[in-house]
Amino acid sequence: MAKSRTNFALPVEVHRDDRTPIHRQIETAIRALIRGGQLRLGAPLPPTRVLAADLGVSRGVVVEAYQQLTAEGYLVGRVGGQTQVAAGQAAPSTPVRLARSAPARIDLSYGRADVSSFPRAAWLRSIRGVLTGVPNELFGYLSGSGTPQLRTAIADYLNRVRGTIAHPDNVVICTGYAQGIALLINVLAASGARRLALEDPSSGDDALPIARAAGLDVVGVPVDRDGIRVDLLERSDADAVILTPSHQWPTGAVLSAENRAAVLGWAVRRGAVVIEDDYDAEYRYDRMPIGAMQGLAPDHVAYAGSASKTLAPGLRLGWFVMPSHLTGPMSDAKIAADRGSPALEQLALADFITRGEFDRHLRRMRPVYRRRRDALLAALARRLPELEPVGISAGLHLVTWLPPYLDERAVVEAAFADGVGVDGVGPYRIEPRGAGGLIFGFATVKEPAIVEGVDILAHVIERLKS
C-alpha cells in the first residue's frame, strides 16, 4: 500500500511511492485548490515549518514549492513571513443584515442611539484590563444574576444617579431589556399573575406577545399628559403594570408626583408589581432628572435599564433591579434561558462604569443630542407649525400630534417614498383609538439632514392636504 501523509489544515497529500518529486506534488495540490476556488484570494497558508512537519518532509521541500507558486503568481509573501493566496476569486462579501428594514435616506425614525460615537478607545482599555487582571474563575459558569463586579457597579451607579435603593444581590444582568422583560413576565405568570397592564400607547412589541404566550390577559391603560390614567389602572384588575414614568414612550409624558404615589399605593394594596422601564433616563435637556420610582418602593418595583440607548444596543446588556422576593426566580429563569450573559462584556462594562468612563461618555453625548433636538424643533416650528411637538425635554425622540385632516399612515408612507423615515404612533396603540401622530428620532441624524428631512416632510404634507 502506498504510504501518504496529509495536512489537515490544508488538504494537501503526498505519496512516497509516487515518482513525482514531493515538492511538485505539493505545488500541484495547492495550485488545484486555488484554481478550484477552495483557496480564495487573500487566504493564508500554513507556515512552511508547520506544513513540513504535518507532511513529514523537510522544510526545504515546502519552501521550494511555495517559491515556485510565488514565481507563478499564485502566492505572495507578506510582512511578518505569512504567505497568502495572490490569485483567484476573493471570498464573497456577506452583507451586514440589520434587525430593522433598510432605512430611508434621511432616517428620523425612532429606536437608536448614535453608535458612531461609541467610545471605542475607552472600551478597549476596559477589555484589556479585564483580560489581564480578573481572576480565572470569572470566565467559568457564573450565577444567573451576573458577575458581582457589574451588579455592584450598576447598583452604585443607579443609587447615585437615579435615586434607587438597589443592592447588588437584587440586580440581575440580562441580554438587554427584551430578554429581561420576557423572563420577568414568565416569572410573574408562574407565581400566579393573570393580567398585565401596559401603557397605551407603548412599546409593547417586547412584552405583548410574551405575555399572551405566557397565558396572561393584557389590558391597555390610556395615558394623558400626566402619564398613565391611574383611575383606569385601579379598575384594570391587573397583577402587574409596565410603566415608562420618567419619559413615557412614545408620548414623552412624565408621570406626575401625585400619580406616582397613586400607582405605588395601588401596587401595595393589590400586591402587584410595577415594572419601571427607565429606557432613556440619562438624557435630560430642559429640566432636572426625575428620580426612579424604585427608590420609593423597592419591594414593589422592578427597575429595568440597559446599555442600548447610552452606549450601543449591540452590547446586549441590560439589568433588572428586582424586589427581593422575585430575585431568586428571576436568576433561575436566566440560568434556564442561556446559562448567563457573557462574562467578558459584563466585566468590561463594570470597569467602564467604575473608572468614570460611562459618566464621561454621557456628558459628551448630551450636548450632541440636544443640538440635534433643537435643530428638529426649529425646523418644525419654521416649516410645520401645525405639528405641535410634545415630550421634548428629555430622551432621543419627540412626538407631534397630527391635525384631524391628516392620515397618519398616509403621511408616513408618503414621507418614506420621498426618502424620509418617520414612525407613526398608531402601531404602538393597544386599542385602535386616539389621534394620529408622528414619532421623530433625532439621535443619529446630523443637523443639516434634520433640516432637509423636515423640508421634505413639509412638501409631503402640503401635497396630501391639497
Side-chain angles (χ1 to χ4, degrees):
M1 179 180 291
K3 294 182 178 180
S4 66
R5 290 286 293 271
T6 301
N7 174 265
F8 294 100
L10 188 69
V12 171
E13 189 174 6
V14 297
H15 299 271
R16 302 290 182 179
D17 58 352
D18 194 316
R19 294 184 178 182
T20 305
I22 291 177
H23 72 89
R24 295 291 185 197
Q25 294 182 41
I26 297 172
E27 290 172 27
T28 300
I30 295 176
R31 191 183 294 110
L33 290 170
I34 294 172
R35 288 175 173 174
Q38 291 97 322
L39 285 176
R40 292 188 176 271
L41 181 65
L45 268 68
T48 54
R49 290 184 185 277
V50 173
L51 184 56
D54 285 353
L55 296 177
V57 301
S58 70
R59 180 177 175 234
V61 170
V62 179
V63 169
E64 188 174 358
Y66 277 20
Q67 287 175 340
Q68 179 60 36
L69 292 168
T70 300
E72 295 176 8
Y74 286 99
L75 300 180
V76 64
R78 297 297 185 194
V79 176
Q82 186 183 60
T83 301
Q84 293 178 310
V85 176
Q89 297 180 347
S93 60
T94 302
V96 176
R97 301 189 66 180
L98 302 177
R100 60 190 299 133
S101 59
R105 182 176 66 86
I106 300 175
D107 190 9
L108 294 171
S109 59
Y110 172 76
R112 294 142 297 144
D114 185 357
V115 296
S116 69
S117 298
F118 182 81
R120 298 185 184 215
W123 186 259
L124 182 58
R125 286 194 293 273
S126 291
I127 290 286
R128 284 175 172 164
V130 166
L131 288 174
T132 58
V134 303
N136 293 333
E137 56 266 24
L138 287 176
F139 291 99
Y141 288 110
L142 303 174
S143 75
S145 298
T147 66
Q149 289 86 343
L150 182 55
R151 290 188 284 115
T152 298
I154 290 294
D156 290 346
Y157 172 80
L158 294 176
N159 292 343
R160 171 171 58 88
V161 174
R162 298 297 298 126
T164 59
I165 301 175
H167 190 280
D169 290 346
N170 292 338
V171 177
V172 177
I173 305 301
C174 301
T175 309
Y177 172 80
Q179 184 195 43
I181 195 63
L183 296 177
L184 180 51
I185 286 172
N186 281 286
V187 165
L188 292 174
S191 68
R194 292 293 174 262
R195 175 168 288 191
L196 174 68
L198 299 178
E199 297 168 319
D200 191 6
S202 68
S203 58
D205 49 337
D206 290 320
L208 188 59
I210 296 296
R212 287 174 173 165
L216 297 181
D217 293 331
V218 179
V219 57
V221 181
V223 299
D224 57 26
R225 62 182 57 197
D226 291 321
I228 195 167
R229 288 276 306 277
V230 184
D231 58 326
L232 299 180
L233 177 64
E234 292 269 9
R235 300 200 294 267
S236 69
D237 199 30
D239 301 298
V241 60
I242 300 176
L243 298 179
T244 50
S246 297
H247 190 231
Q248 200 277 329
W249 202 94
T251 69
V254 176
L255 191 65
S256 66
E258 180 182 0
N259 282 358
R260 285 177 174 234
V263 168
L264 294 176
W266 163 83
V268 170
R269 291 191 303 274
R270 185 164 175 77
V273 175
V274 177
I275 304 167
E276 180 179 12
D277 179 6
D278 207 25
Y279 67 102
D280 67 356
E282 288 79 6
Y283 300 116
R284 294 291 180 270
Y285 311 119
D286 303 320
R287 58 172 168 80
M288 293 297 292
I290 306 296
M293 290 181 68
Q294 192 271 353
L296 301 174
D299 291 334
H300 293 275
V301 179
Y303 175 97
S306 81
S308 296
K309 300 298 186 294
T310 50
L311 289 171
L315 292 180
R316 305 312 308 137
L317 284 173
W319 42 88
F320 276 62
V321 182
M322 302 297 298
S324 297
H325 69 285
L326 293 175
T327 303
M330 184 75 164
S331 179
D332 292 342
K334 173 63 176 172
I335 282 288
D338 59 10
R339 309 300 297 176
S341 295
L344 179 59
E345 286 81 357
Q346 291 187 59
L347 295 169
L349 181 57
D351 179 78
F352 191 83
I353 293 172
T354 55
R355 285 193 298 109
E357 295 292 352
F358 191 63
D359 291 281
R360 278 189 280 274
H361 175 67
L362 292 173
R363 286 197 298 269
R364 286 193 296 268
M365 295 311 298
R366 287 188 189 104
V368 172
Y369 291 145
R370 179 168 188 159
R371 286 194 298 270
R372 294 174 184 177
R373 183 211 62 167
D374 290 348
L376 177 58
L377 289 174
L380 289 170
R382 183 177 64 255
R383 298 289 284 118
L384 289 167
E386 67 268 40
L387 304 186
E388 181 179 357
V390 297
I392 64 175
S393 62
L396 303 179
H397 78 282
L398 59 82
V399 169
T400 64
W401 299 113
L402 292 173
Y405 55 80
L406 286 174
D407 179 74
E408 175 188 296
R409 183 173 178 179
V411 172
V412 170
E413 292 179 352
F416 187 83
D418 282 9
V420 176
V422 292
D423 292 316
V425 173
Y428 301 100
R429 293 191 183 279
I430 297 172
E431 297 294 335
R433 57 175 180 246
L438 301 178
I439 307 170
F440 292 84
F442 50 80
T444 63
V445 189
K446 295 184 178 178
E447 291 89 330
I450 290 174
V451 173
E452 182 186 358
V454 174
D455 283 341
I456 294 172
L457 182 61
H459 289 299
V460 166
I461 289 178
E462 191 62 33
R463 193 168 65 240
L464 291 174
K465 287 162 58 177
S466 60

